[in-house]
Amino acid sequence: EAQVTQNPRYLITVTGKKLTVTCSQNMNHEYMSWYRQDPGLGLRQIYYSMNVEVTDKGDVPEGYKVSRKEKRNFPLILESPSPNQTSLYFCASGRGPQVRGDTQYFGPGTRLTVL
Amino acid sequence: AQSVAQPEDQVNVAEGNPLTVKCTYSVSGNPYLFWYVQYPNRGLQFLLKYITGDNLVKGSYGFEAEFNKSQTSFHLKKPSALVSDSALYFCAVRALNRDDKIIFGKGTRLHILP
């Protein structure tokens, strides 16, 4: 089954404790992206990757890191989480903007609470 | 700069009635337009898209959307609402220029009342 998986689905942590949210896709997609969803703000892009070893900032990259060492994986790293990073996070993948009308496939989401 | 507006935070519709969820956009050049749906505790799912051609686009679950270039709108519609249509709906746009980023609207929560 074609899917995007994220782990963990739920996480409660404390300020400053480094964490990683994993994302994996089995569709051989070149493009992967991380979004955060906040009430009243919709989805905002954090980082995206056009291919292995190619990453770029989205609209709200501050406080986050990503890496793309393998095509299928795109982990999101919070080196020193803060309460304003409490949010619902989604990973997505697709063939990329170079493919006309490409649609994105989303993971189930990770609800992060930073105390 | 490109943008997407969903003017209604919430839409309430009685079951069996037609529904409309509004979306307007602003881009330079021709847009690719999308609708996604998010059910509780789930990720976003693709519903339909407009690339080119017929202005009326049909998608999953009986939904359709009409692209109106003069009004820069892409409203989502369904002739007869079901309670199971209750969800959060996102409109998104991708412009065909150097910055091919996809921009999502803030979402509209649709409540179908039994």
Side-chain angles (χ1 to χ4, degrees), chain A residues 4 16 22 24 33 40 44 53 80 86-87 90-91 96 99 101 105 113:
Chain A
V4 179
T22 64
S24 182
S33 181
R44 294 179 293 168
E53 302 293 0
S80 182
T86 292
S87 187
F90 288 102
C91 181
V99 177
Y105 293 78
T113 301

Side-chain angles (χ1 to χ4, degrees), chain A residues 37 40 59 90 100-101 104 107, chain B residues 32 36 38 43 49 102 106:
Chain A
Q37 182 180 7
D59 296 316
F90 288 102
R100 199 173 180 218
Q104 294 189 51
Chain B
Y32 292 161
Y36 286 83
Q38 183 181 22
K49 65 183 175 184
I102 184 167
K106 294 182 178 181

Side-chain angles (χ1 to χ4, degrees), chain B residues 61-108:
Chain B
Y61 311 120
F63 283 94
E64 58 189 28
E66 186 167 12
F67 171 61
N68 187 317
K69 189 172 184 177
S70 62
Q71 297 185 4
T72 61
S73 68
F74 190 55
H75 301 332
L76 181 70
K77 300 182 180 184
K78 188 173 182 180
S80 179
L82 300 173
V83 172
S84 57
D85 293 331
S86 298
L88 186 57
Y89 290 81
F90 289 95
C91 182
V93 65
R94 172 174 276 155
L96 307 181
N97 55 23
R98 290 179 299 165
D99 179 8
D100 287 320
K101 200 181 301 184
I102 184 167
I103 302 295
F104 286 86
K106 294 182 178 181
T108 298

Side-chain angles (χ1 to χ4, degrees), chain B residues 24-43:
Chain B
T24 59
Y25 65 91
S26 174
V27 298
S28 53
N30 295 319
Y32 292 161
L33 294 156
F34 305 83
W35 276 101
Y36 286 83
V37 60
Q38 183 181 22
Y39 297 105
N41 300 314
R42 302 283 295 276

Side-chain angles (χ1 to χ4, degrees), chain B residues 12-20 77-82 85 112-113:
Chain B
N12 296 322
V13 177
E15 187 177 24
N17 283 2
L19 70 87
T20 298
K77 300 182 180 184
K78 188 173 182 180
S80 179
L82 300 173
D85 293 331
I112 307 301
L113 309 170

